[in-house]
Each structure stands twice: as structure tokens, then as C-alpha cells.
Amino acid sequence: MGSALGARLASAGHEVAYGSRTPEDRTGSVSQTDAVQGAELVIIAIPGTAVLSTLEGIGEDVLADRIVLDVSAAFTPDMALAYPNDSVARRVQTRFPRARVVKSLNTMNVSIMVDPLASLSQATVFVSGENQDAKAAVKGLLADLGWTTESILDLGGVASATATEHAAPLFFATYLALQTMRFNIAITR
Ligand SMILES: NC(=O)c1ccc[n+]([C@@H]2O[C@H](COP(=O)([O-])OP(=O)(O)OC[C@H]3O[C@@H](n4cnc5c(N)ncnc54)[C@H](OP(=O)(O)O)[C@@H]3O)[C@@H](O)[C@H]2O)c1
């Protein structure tokens, strides 16, 4: 996810830094703390169950009031929802109240995230978060990834991230039925 989103955003003119636990083994990456320290917006693209501990390691003062775009999903080892009554995004917002957390892009495969309408006539991308400026910035990034204004559905506050994180079983059931990950949820009315 990180490399696919990063490459697409870089091609749209953004300066992208990749944070890694082992930057010495990953050409072109820096430490997670260095990546966050220089960033206007941080994309969390790691396993959902590792997000809180990773952010603890980076530190509250480094994270500060940055916009945090959380695209993660959190599963147990047997692929059940790790937080059946909660979400990664809400947990991060609660633990780091200064950070401006936005949940988005988590309801689809990465191939659709970076190429939303190339093969799909309709597609919806959900956005959840408390801070309007942060959501506006994320919607700008979504536009850079190719999402139209009409395809973006703002669900409201960060509590609504639970709904999209809990769409993961629907995603996997659909994948098993279709045998492809090139599909997306489309909300029509
Ligand atoms: N792939 C998709 O299409 C897709 C779709 C929707 C949502 N998501 C969610 O988006 C997130 C990223 O997906 P992905 O497919 O890119 O995941 P991934 O390949 O499994 O992991 C991405 C990176 O996270 C770091 N990482 C792995 N385990 C970690 C741990 N225990 N603690 C801290 N960092 C760890 C690794 O980077 P370093 O080794 O360099 O630190 C790894 O390269 C996940 O939460 C996933 O569920 C993915």
C-alpha cells in the first residue's frame, strides 16, 4: 500500500517520504520518526494491530497535530476483526487527541485506490474524521489519486470509521465469490 500510494502521489507532484522499521534494508526509506517529522500528512499503511504501538514509538510530540490518514485494517491471526466494537482510527484519535485522524480508502484493494475509475463505472470512497480541514486535505489527496468529488462520501466523525473497518468481512466474502480484488462498493440512491 505504502509504495503504491506513494508512487501515485509522487507522480501527482507530492513529496513523499517512506518510513520503515528497517530503513537500512529498504532503499529509499527513512526511519518512521524521520518520515513523520518532515510530513504535513502521515499515511498509516501498516497492519492495523501494529498502528498504536508504532505511533507510541514515534511519540506524541513528533506526531503532534499532523493530519493522519489511516488506511489500515486490523485482523486477528485467524482473520477475524481485531476490534469488533471499535476501530483503529478511533483508537488513534483517542490516544493522540492532537492528531487529526482521517479514515479513508480502507474498503478496497490498493489497485482500486490508486486507479478508482479506470475499470469501474461507479465507485465510492468513504471518509471519516473529526477535523474538517484534515478531511478537506484528504479529499484533495483522493482527487490526486483519481477520485471524483461525487465518488467521495463523507460519513462524519471518526466514530463512523468503525462502520468502514467492519466492512472487511464483506470485502473478503466478495473476493471469494468473484475471485478478484478489482471491485469496489458503490453507494447509489
Ligand atoms: N493491500 C491492500 O490492498 C489493502 C487494502 C485495504 C486496507 N489495507 C490495509 O492497509 C495496511 C497496509 O497494507 P499492506 O498490504 O501494505 O500491508 P503489508 O504489506 O503487510 O505491510 C506494510 C508494511 O508495514 C510494515 N509492517 C509490517 N508488520 C509490521 C508490524 N508488526 N509493525 C509495524 N510495521 C509493520 C512493513 O514495513 P517495514 O518492514 O518497512 O517497517 C510492511 O512493509 C494494512 O493495515 C492493511 O490491512 C490494505
Side-chain angles (χ1 to χ4, degrees), residues 36-129:
V36 171
Q37 220 142 26
E40 285 175 36
L41 186 150
V42 178
I43 301 179
I44 300 182
I46 62 173
T49 49
V51 170
L52 273 177
S53 58
T54 297
L55 293 178
E56 293 284 1
I58 291 167
E60 194 165 4
D61 288 340
V62 174
L63 195 60
D65 63 352
R66 287 175 216 286
I67 300 168
V68 175
L69 168 56
D70 172 26
V71 301
S72 73
F75 303 109
T76 64
D78 57 355
M79 290 304 283
L81 292 173
Y83 307 127
N85 299 308
D86 206 355
S87 68
V88 178
R90 204 198 63 80
R91 285 173 171 238
V92 172
Q93 187 63 84
T94 302
R95 170 61 189 88
F96 301 97
R98 277 193 291 158
R100 292 173 290 161
V101 179
V102 180
K103 188 90 196 185
S104 192
L105 288 169
N106 53 308
T107 50
M108 67 201 76
N109 180 253
V110 65
S111 63
I112 305 298
M113 290 178 203
V114 298
D115 194 15
L117 299 172
S119 62
L120 307 176
S121 56
Q122 290 183 309
T124 300
V125 61
F126 302 102
V127 175
S128 303

Side-chain angles (χ1 to χ4, degrees), residues 134-145:
K135 287 202 282 194
V138 166
K139 288 172 188 175
L141 277 195
L142 294 176
D144 291 339
L145 293 173

